[in-house]
């Protein structure tokens, strides 16, 4: 309780994977994650030493002992002090800027635990059932790309959320990582549809290797950051959420592959939302599930084991020790599954002590609960359905063997009309109906009820893959000399009619999912933008210019129009809008002299013999004009690269001549432009990133303001022409 009354420390996580940088250079070079860590340790953290803000001594950030490779840090800085203090303005601008371009995530410490316990490998098919706002989803994407030499991992992440508008926040988070292996969908997690995939011409049900089940909860573990919980908390919250949590967890284990792992987590400490859900799930599974012992998987993490005995309390303060004590008029509020198992033998076999409870005072965090479940065999109700289905098939001889999955996830039996219906088939069908009725009586652990897919919110544009003979592709392939291995069938657009303005790319596995489930699921977003239409480019042989978001995915396949540049050239490209060729080194000038105008790749490779220079590679999208070169790079990404090169980019209220001395740029024009580029639009960005809180209580979710996809999420509507028009306007000025 004493810990709960103290402010929550600020925590940040460095993105372990970013844009496949290591795929193009020797292993001796550092990744961007290591460069950012080096920058934090040797610059920003040093500046916090001996700093006193509002009478409080600022502690130098320390790494979280249990997070791998020192990629997560915490400090006693509260979010309020971080935002308001002038002494911390430079550090805050760094955090905001790096967060925007996906290199840093401001995420609560305990929120980082569930993805780590999933033990993800690059080939895993992953479902994140309640994903918004997306901090954990971002971790899962990072883990998929652990092998940076593979641009397209075999695995993928399907991130789901029931709230249509929060899905766009999820899209915004995922897009920062520029991965072709993420798809955002919008469904009720308790009845998320079963998907199909094509396996060598045969339809198969998609089972996931890993499932993250971070369910909606009362949020009583978040009191340190959500002050309203102190006023609004009541035991009624947990009683109302228990059924939903159990239904979501049940739907999750149904879709889990045998041998797969599901992590169930809440930011609550109430056993009704935690151990009660796990115990009920284990009991109904009849041995198909077991709790994994993960006590040694995160060395340094402090926690206490799950509990086996608890009571249930009503809002008015009445306590109940068992279901038989609950009066009939209260049995709609309290359900049997909320109570601990009374059978000692069963209780011991469940190993509930393997659950992980993290209390606020253990390591100065929020409260949290995690349980890791392993699926050993099919769920019993699925087994019974399959058995009856086979029996029906054998007796009638007219039932399709490969029963497709319906929207609600149950198997649909497709029958050919028989010539004469015999008594035996009627009897078997009756057995099937009886089994279905029995399943309903069993309660929440049976198959989910049939539910039509309801579509709310913004109507999404379609996902249209390029056809084999699409005339759009050959000019692109020729212009960039794409490798024959380039997976052109994975390219898609968001329009069925008119000019295709943007081209996106997904992995082969996600293409399979999209093509075979268009009627089953509502897809909000997928794919990474790789090319944008540019009318000025047509006269040079290609109507599409490269997009920075997808350059690290495309780069391994591009064999032409690549210009190697030195670090001084990179500084010019990132600090000047449209520099003349004369501003670049003589080597660069020679390389572009005979190159046709249009979109190009600008590549910097580090020199290991010069350890004081930037030691991670950079690939930029650029444009070669008649007398100039320019880079098409978003502002925050420019700031990131400049920081890594040691260029001071902090923008405070100061005179132009002071700024000039900081930027190391000599001429007046470039300095003026640099000042404009370094403007962080501080207030706007800070407000935009307020939504990074990960474990939002259910009542806060209802009351929070929503982010409209059209004007707050940036480029989440691929069909929007605003960004494209701006690009065309920029290119027109280049042409002029």
């Amino acid at each position: 309780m004493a810990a709960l009354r103290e402010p929550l420390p600020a925590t940040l996580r460095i993105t372990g994977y970013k844009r496949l940088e290591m795929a193009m250079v020797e292993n001796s070079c550092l990744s961007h994650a290591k460069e950012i860590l080096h920058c934090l340790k040797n610059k920003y953290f040093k500046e916090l030493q001996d700093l006193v803000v509002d009478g409080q001594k600022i502690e130098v950030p320390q790494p979280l002992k249990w997070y791998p490779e020192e990629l997560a840090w915490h400090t006693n800085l509260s979010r309020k002090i971080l935002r308001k203090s002038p002494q911390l303005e430079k550090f805050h601008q760094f955090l905001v800027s790096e967060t925007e371009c996906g290199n840093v995530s401001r995420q609560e410490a305990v929120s980082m635990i569930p993805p780590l316990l999933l033990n993800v490998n690059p080939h895993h098919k992953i479902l994140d059932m309640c994903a918004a706002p997306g901090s954990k989803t971002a971790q899962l994407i990072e883990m998929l790309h652990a092998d940076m030499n593979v641009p397209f991992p075999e695995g993928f992440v399907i991130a789901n959320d029931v709230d249509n508008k929060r899905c766009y926040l999820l899209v915004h988070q995922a897009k920062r990582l520029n991965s072709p292996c993420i798809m955002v969908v919008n469904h009720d997690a308790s009845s998320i549809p079963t998907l199909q995939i094509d396996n060598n011409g045969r339809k198969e049900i998609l089972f996931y290797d890993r499932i993250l089940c971070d369910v909606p909860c009362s949020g009583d573990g978040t009191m340190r950051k959500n002050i309203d919980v102190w006023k609004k908390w009541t035991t009624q919250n947990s009683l109302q959420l228990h059924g939903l949590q159990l239904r979501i967890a049940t739907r999750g284990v149904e879709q889990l592959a045998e041998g797969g792992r599901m992590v169930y987590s809440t930011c609550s400490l109430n056993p009704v939302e935690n151990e009660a859900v796990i115990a009920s799930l284990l009991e109904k599974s009849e041995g198909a599930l077991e709790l994994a012992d993960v006590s040694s998987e995160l060395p340094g993490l402090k926690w206490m084991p799950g509990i086996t005995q608890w009571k249930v309390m009503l809002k008015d303060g009445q306590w109940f020790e068992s279901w038989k004590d609950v009066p009939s008029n209260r049995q709609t509020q309290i359900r049997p599954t909320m109570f601990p198992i009374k059978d000692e033998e069963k209780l011991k076999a469940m190993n509930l002590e393997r659950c992980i409870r993290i209390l606020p005072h253990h390591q100065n965090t929020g409260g949290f609960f995690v349980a890791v479940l392993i699926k050993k065999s099919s769920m019993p109700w699925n087994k019974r359905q399959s058995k009856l289905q086979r029996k029906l098939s054998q007796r009638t001889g007219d039932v399709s063997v490969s029963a497709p999955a319906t929207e609600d996830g149950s198997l649909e039996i497709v029958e050919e009309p028989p010539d004469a219906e015999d008594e035996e088939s009627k009897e078997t069908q009756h057995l099937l109906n009886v089994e279905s009725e029995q399943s309903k009586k069993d309660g929440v652990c049976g198959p989910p009820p049939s539910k039509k897919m309801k579509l709310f919110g913004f109507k999404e544009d379609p996902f249209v893959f390029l056809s084999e003979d699409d005339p759009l592709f050959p000019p692109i392939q020729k212009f960039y000399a794409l490798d024959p291995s380039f997976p052109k069938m994975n390219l898609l657009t968001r329009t069925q009619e008119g000019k295709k303005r943007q081209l996106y790319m997904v992995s082969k596995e996600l293409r399979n999912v999209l093509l075979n489930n268009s009627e089953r699921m509502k897809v909000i977003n997928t794919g990474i933008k790789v090319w944008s239409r540019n009318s000025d480019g047509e006269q040079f042989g290609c109507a599409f210019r490269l997009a920075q978001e997808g350059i690290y995915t495309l780069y391994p396949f591009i064999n032409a129009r690549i210009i190697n540049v030195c670090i001084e050239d990179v500084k010019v490209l990132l600090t000047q809008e449209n520099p003349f060729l004369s501003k670049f080194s003589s080597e660069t000038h020679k390389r572009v002299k005979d190159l046709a105008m249009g979109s190009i790749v600008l590549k910097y490779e580090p020199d290991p013999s010069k350890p004081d220079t930037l030691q991670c590679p950079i690939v930029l999208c650029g444009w070669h004009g008649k007398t100039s070169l320019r880079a098409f790079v978003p502002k925050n990404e420019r700031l990131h690269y400049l920081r890594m090169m040691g260029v001071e980019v902090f923008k405070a209220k100061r005179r132009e001549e002071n700024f000039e001395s900081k930027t190391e740029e000599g001429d007046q024009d470039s300095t003026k432009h640099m000042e404009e580029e370094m403007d962080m639009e501080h207030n706007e960005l800070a407000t935009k990133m307020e939504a990074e809180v990960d474990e939002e209580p259910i009542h806060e979710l209802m009351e929070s303001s929503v982010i409209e996809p059209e004007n707050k999420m940036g480029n989440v509507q691929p069909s929007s022409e605003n960004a494209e028009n701006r690009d065309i306007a920029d290119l027109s000025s280049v042409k002029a």
Side-chain angles (χ1 to χ4, degrees):
M1 288 301 292
L4 281 171
R5 290 187 173 96
E6 294 297 321
L8 187 69
T11 51
L12 63 92
R13 180 174 56 81
I14 299 167
T15 302
Y17 140 79
K18 196 70 173 70
R19 307 184 184 90
L20 309 174
E21 296 92 347
M22 293 292 289
M24 303 159 295
V25 293
E26 296 297 324
N27 290 332
S28 59
C29 295
L30 294 174
S31 70
H32 277 230
K34 296 297 182 187
E35 285 285 352
I36 293 169
L37 183 56
H38 181 266
C39 181
L40 275 169
K41 280 182 174 181
N42 293 283
K43 182 180 179 184
Y44 293 99
F45 290 169
K46 280 188 176 179
E47 292 175 0
L48 297 179
Q49 287 179 349
D50 304 321
L51 192 63
V52 177
V53 177
D54 295 340
Q56 178 187 358
K57 188 178 186 302
I58 302 302
E59 293 176 6
V60 176
Q62 297 295 321
L64 296 177
K65 294 177 183 177
W66 46 268
Y67 202 94
E69 300 180 39
E70 287 193 342
L71 291 178
W73 294 70
H74 69 114
T75 173
N76 67 338
L77 283 169
S78 69
R79 293 169 64 201
K80 183 179 179 181
I81 290 176
L82 196 56
R83 285 199 306 267
K84 304 295 183 185
S85 172
Q87 300 104 303
L88 298 170
E89 186 182 1
K90 183 189 289 190
F91 184 44
H92 186 229
Q93 283 192 9
F94 166 82
L95 290 179
V96 170
S97 176
E98 293 295 332
T99 299
E100 277 295 290
C101 56
N103 296 311
V104 166
S105 293
R106 289 182 286 167
Q107 179 181 357
E108 188 177 342
V110 287
S111 165
M112 304 175 193
I113 295 170
L116 292 176
L117 292 177
L118 269 178
N119 195 17
V120 169
N121 289 317
H123 65 276
H124 283 155
K125 301 173 184 67
I126 306 165
L127 173 64
D128 190 350
M129 299 188 76
C130 309
S135 301
K136 298 182 188 73
T137 308
Q139 274 181 276
L140 297 173
I141 296 170
E142 290 174 37
M143 293 168 184
L144 271 187
H145 291 277
D147 183 354
M148 294 184 182
N149 293 295
V150 181
F152 293 103
E154 289 181 21
F156 54 78
V157 177
I158 294 180
N160 173 70
D161 202 83
V162 68
D163 189 311
N164 181 265
K165 286 171 179 167
R166 279 169 64 90
C167 281
Y168 292 97
L169 178 58
L170 184 54
V171 169
H172 175 73
Q173 284 272 38
K175 277 190 171 296
R176 298 181 308 136
L177 295 182
N178 299 333
S179 170
C181 305
I182 170 73
M183 180 161 65
V184 176
V185 299
N186 179 204
H187 290 279
D188 177 353
S190 64
S191 58
I192 192 167
T194 298
L195 304 183
Q196 291 183 349
I197 52 173
D198 184 275
N199 186 3
N200 297 321
R202 207 166 121 260
K203 291 288 177 70
E204 290 183 353
I205 291 175
L206 171 62
F207 289 102
Y208 301 94
D209 302 298
R210 298 289 186 268
I211 293 179
L212 178 56
C213 187
D214 186 52
V215 295
C217 66
S218 60
D220 57 33
T222 68
M223 288 178 170
R224 300 180 71 175
K225 65 180 180 185
N226 296 316
I227 306 301
D228 281 353
V229 176
W230 289 92
K231 294 189 298 185
K232 298 179 180 179
W233 182 86
T234 165
T235 55
Q236 200 66 22
N237 297 343
S238 297
L239 302 182
Q240 290 170 347
L241 287 165
H242 171 85
L244 174 64
Q245 292 162 339
L246 186 48
R247 289 196 301 274
I248 292 174
T250 302
R251 190 68 189 120
V253 294
E254 284 178 342
Q255 301 217 354
L256 189 63
E258 289 184 27
R261 179 179 279 211
M262 184 177 94
V263 170
Y264 175 90
S265 62
T266 73
C267 48
S268 170
L269 299 173
N270 193 324
V272 170
E273 301 180 61
N274 299 327
E275 285 90 349
V277 173
I278 297 300
S280 179
L281 199 54
L282 289 170
E283 185 180 29
K284 295 287 185 179
S285 76
E286 298 176 9
L289 299 172
E290 73 172 0
L291 271 171
D293 183 358
V294 292
S295 56
S296 60
E297 292 194 13
L298 293 178
L301 180 68
K302 297 176 184 175
W303 52 279
M304 66 173 285
I307 59 178
T308 56
Q309 297 299 323
W310 61 88
K311 299 177 187 177
V312 179
M313 191 180 91
L314 283 174
K315 189 176 182 180
D316 60 10
Q318 286 187 72
W319 287 96
F320 300 99
E321 291 196 21
S322 64
W323 169 246
K324 61 181 175 56
D325 298 332
V326 181
S328 57
N329 64 335
R330 297 293 195 176
Q331 290 183 2
T332 54
Q333 294 171 278
I334 297 181
R335 303 300 301 147
T337 52
M338 296 177 183
F339 292 93
I341 304 295
K342 293 300 180 186
D343 187 321
E344 289 295 329
E345 195 174 322
K346 271 188 181 179
L347 189 61
K348 187 177 179 182
M350 286 181 180
N351 296 310
L352 287 180
E353 69 280 356
R354 291 181 177 177
C355 298
I356 291 178
R357 287 181 152 264
I358 297 168
L359 303 184
H361 63 278
H362 283 156
Q363 50 240 317
N364 200 11
T365 63
F368 210 70
F369 174 87
V370 190
V372 181
L373 293 160
I374 305 290
K375 187 173 181 179
K376 295 160 67 179
S377 62
S378 245
M379 303 310 290
W381 52 89
N382 289 343
K383 283 180 186 174
R384 291 193 290 268
Q385 280 187 336
S386 298
K387 187 176 179 181
L388 285 166
Q389 181 192 332
R390 284 195 301 272
K391 194 173 181 182
L392 183 63
S393 178
Q394 289 166 3
R395 291 192 179 185
T396 62
D398 294 314
V399 180
S400 171
V401 175
S402 58
T406 59
E407 286 176 3
D408 66 346
S410 57
L411 292 174
E412 178 185 340
I413 299 175
V414 181
E415 295 187 51
E416 299 293 334
D419 294 333
E421 189 172 342
D422 58 12
E423 289 302 318
E424 220 173 298
S425 68
K426 281 184 180 179
E427 181 189 342
T428 311
Q429 186 61 52
H430 173 69
L431 284 173
L432 195 63
N433 293 337
V434 168
E435 181 67 26
S436 177
E437 287 301 317
Q438 183 60 40
S439 175
K440 289 177 186 175
K441 288 178 185 176
D442 286 345
V444 291
C445 278
S450 178
K451 180 184 277 191
K452 284 190 176 180
M453 185 171 70
K454 296 177 182 178
L455 302 182
F456 297 103
F458 188 82
K459 188 177 186 302
E460 290 298 322
D461 293 324
F463 296 84
V464 184
F465 285 93
L466 294 192
S467 60
E468 184 76 37
D469 56 351
D470 196 309
L472 202 68
F473 186 71
I476 297 175
Q477 187 173 31
K478 181 181 177 183
F479 191 72
Y480 298 102
L482 296 179
D483 193 86
S485 65
F486 179 75
K488 66 177 181 180
M489 297 302 288
N490 296 354
L491 289 173
L492 61 86
T493 67
R494 299 296 301 271
T495 178
Q496 285 179 312
E497 299 174 358
K499 275 190 175 183
K500 299 176 175 71
R501 294 193 172 277
Q502 320 278 0
L503 294 183
Y504 300 84
M505 176 169 275
V506 295
S507 65
K508 180 181 71 175
E509 289 74 18
L510 271 189
R511 180 181 188 271
N512 190 347
V513 173
L514 272 169
L515 289 177
N516 288 286
N517 299 281
S518 59
E519 300 302 317
R520 285 187 180 85
M521 60 181 183
K522 183 184 178 185
V523 180
I524 299 295
N525 198 283
T526 191
I528 178 175
K529 185 164 72 172
V530 288
W531 280 290
S532 292
R533 180 177 287 277
N534 164 40
S535 55
D536 286 345
E538 292 183 20
Q539 59 185 302
F540 307 126
C542 182
F544 285 85
R545 68 167 179 84
L546 296 162
Q548 183 67 25
E549 299 99 294
I551 190 59
Y552 287 100
T553 300
L554 276 184
Y555 181 81
F557 302 102
I558 297 176
N559 294 311
R561 305 192 64 77
I562 299 172
I563 305 296
N564 287 308
V565 293
C566 65
I567 196 162
E568 294 305 320
D569 290 339
V570 176
K571 288 179 183 177
V572 172
L573 286 163
L574 296 177
T575 57
Q576 300 184 38
E577 181 64 26
N578 192 25
F580 289 111
L581 290 173
S582 58
K583 296 284 184 75
F584 296 93
S585 64
S586 56
E587 291 83 359
T588 300
H589 199 280
K590 287 175 187 174
R591 291 183 188 116
V592 300
K593 188 176 180 183
D594 300 322
L595 192 67
M597 289 188 285
S599 186
I600 58 171
V601 178
L602 299 156
K603 178 186 175 186
Y604 163 75
E605 285 197 31
D607 185 352
S609 65
K610 297 178 181 177
D612 293 337
T613 60
L614 181 66
Q615 288 299 298
C616 63
I618 295 177
V619 178
L620 307 175
C621 292
W623 185 268
H624 174 216
K626 191 172 183 180
T627 60
S628 63
L629 275 182
R630 72 171 295 181
F632 280 116
V633 183
K635 180 193 293 184
N636 285 308
E637 202 161 331
R638 289 186 183 222
L639 295 175
H640 162 69
Y641 289 131
L642 287 168
R643 283 192 193 96
M644 297 305 105
M645 290 185 287
V647 177
E648 178 60 71
V649 297
F650 173 60
K651 171 66 171 70
K653 293 178 181 178
R654 54 188 170 185
R655 294 182 180 275
E656 186 173 313
E657 56 267 24
N658 293 338
F659 190 85
E660 181 177 347
S661 65
K662 289 281 188 184
T663 58
E664 303 175 0
E665 293 295 333
D667 64 271
Q668 187 175 357
D669 291 339
S670 66
T671 304
K672 183 178 179 182
H673 174 69
M674 179 70 170
E675 187 167 12
E676 292 170 358
E677 283 297 310
M678 296 308 107
D679 182 4
M680 292 296 300
E681 299 176 0
H682 176 74
N683 293 333
E684 179 187 344
L685 286 176
T687 304
K688 189 176 179 183
M689 292 312 297
E690 277 296 300
E692 47 82 26
V693 176
D694 199 13
E695 287 73 39
E696 193 168 2
I698 196 71
H699 57 266
E700 291 292 327
L701 173 64
M702 299 301 180
E703 296 172 7
S704 61
S705 58
V706 295
I707 295 181
E708 295 298 335
E710 305 91 70
N711 54 15
K712 292 285 182 75
M713 280 294 95
N715 186 29
V716 299
Q717 296 301 329
S719 59
S720 171
E721 298 184 11
N722 294 337
E724 179 66 25
N725 291 339
R726 283 197 299 273
D727 292 342
I728 292 171
D730 289 343
L731 289 171
S732 298
S733 66
V734 173
K735 184 180 175 185

